[in-house]
Amino acid sequence: PAEKDPAVSWEQAATMSILAPLIEIQEIDLAADAARRRSEELLERQSLPAVEAEILQLEASLASIGEDQRRQESVEEELGTQVAQIARDIEAAELKRYSGGHLDREESQAHDESQALLREQQAALEQNELECLEALEALEDRSGGLEATVAAKRSETDRLREVIAKVETEVAAQLTSLDDSRMGLAPKIPDAILAAYQHVRGQPRS
């Protein structure tokens, strides 16, 4: 058999000595790309902004309910003051009637009509006050439900952040290890070839 040309054999060996570490570097770079994608495309990372947006909306609703509660409390307080005042007026009129001597028929009728009107006003105000208290109770129930939902959403964001942080730590350690391996291989490849590879690698991918 014909003997192999030593020059050709040497050239093939030289080529392989360059290609082998270059292929390893390519494999390392692909592994690094995959690790970064794992972190960037993490489902928890994609879910987090939506949950945070929900919390902001819920907190805005809570703030609005808080304003409604303060308005209702102010109205309820004013109604309570008016009811108490009418009750004092009724009591004062009764005391005046029975401590001021005899009233004639017209005076007695006027007194009774005035007291009846005051009691009607008192009853109407008490009904308004009751409705106001019921509205406050409904607002409190809504607020409590929203606060519980916010607490659950915050727990969810904590869990998502923990998962993201864990994966980021794992990926960072993996990238450090891959980078160390890459640095050990780079000196085995001629600068021009390595630069050409880096240029091709840096091109946009379709």
Side-chain angles (χ1 to χ4, degrees):
E3 293 184 2
K4 292 183 179 179
D5 186 342
V8 173
S9 298
W10 179 88
E11 184 178 339
Q12 290 175 339
T15 301
M16 289 305 299
S17 69
I18 295 172
L19 285 178
L22 185 61
I23 290 171
E24 288 186 59
I25 280 182
Q26 185 181 37
E27 291 174 350
I28 287 171
D29 288 341
L30 291 174
D33 290 342
R36 292 188 189 94
R37 282 197 303 273
R38 179 193 172 203
S39 177
E40 293 166 359
E41 299 174 3
L42 194 64
L43 180 60
E44 285 78 3
R45 190 186 299 281
Q46 298 174 18
S47 300
L48 183 58
V51 179
E52 290 175 330
E54 285 185 72
I55 291 175
L56 289 177
Q57 291 177 347
L58 290 167
E59 288 176 338
S61 296
L62 278 170
S64 177
I65 290 173
E67 292 176 1
D68 291 342
Q69 285 177 309
R70 285 187 289 275
R71 282 194 293 268
Q72 288 288 351
E73 287 167 355
S74 178
V75 171
E76 191 276 330
E77 183 179 356
E78 177 60 26
L79 288 170
T81 299
Q82 293 178 21
V83 168
Q85 183 59 53
I86 290 177
R88 287 193 294 270
D89 292 344
I90 291 172
E91 183 179 3
E94 289 298 312
L95 287 173
K96 182 178 179 181
R97 174 179 182 178
Y98 292 108
S99 63
H102 177 72
L103 299 178
D104 62 27
R105 181 177 179 182
E106 288 184 2
E107 291 175 330
S108 179
Q109 183 177 355
H111 168 82
D112 290 343
E113 289 175 355
S114 175
Q115 292 294 80
L117 180 60
L118 286 173
R119 288 191 175 92
E120 286 179 8
Q121 292 175 349
Q122 183 183 34
L125 288 170
E126 287 175 342
Q127 178 61 33
N128 291 340
E129 187 178 20
L130 177 61
E131 291 173 358
C132 190
L133 289 170
E134 289 173 347
L136 277 170
E137 184 177 359
L139 287 170
E140 186 175 348
D141 289 343
R142 283 181 58 199
S143 178
L146 288 177
E147 286 174 351
T149 303
V150 168
K153 293 294 180 182
R154 284 178 177 155
S155 295
E156 176 66 5
T157 59
D158 289 343
R159 185 192 70 80
L160 293 173
R161 290 191 183 100
E162 286 177 5
V163 173
I164 292 169
K166 181 175 181 292
V167 171
E168 285 179 343
T169 299
E170 293 173 355
V171 168
Q174 184 180 2
L175 290 174
T176 298
S177 176
L178 290 170
D179 191 52
D180 289 344
S181 299
R182 195 182 196 282
M183 289 177 65
L185 291 167
K188 300 177 182 180
I189 304 170
D191 292 343
I193 293 177
L194 186 59
Y197 164 74
Q198 297 282 49
H199 176 73
V200 172
R201 175 172 164 74
Q203 296 300 307
R205 301 178 187 179
S206 57

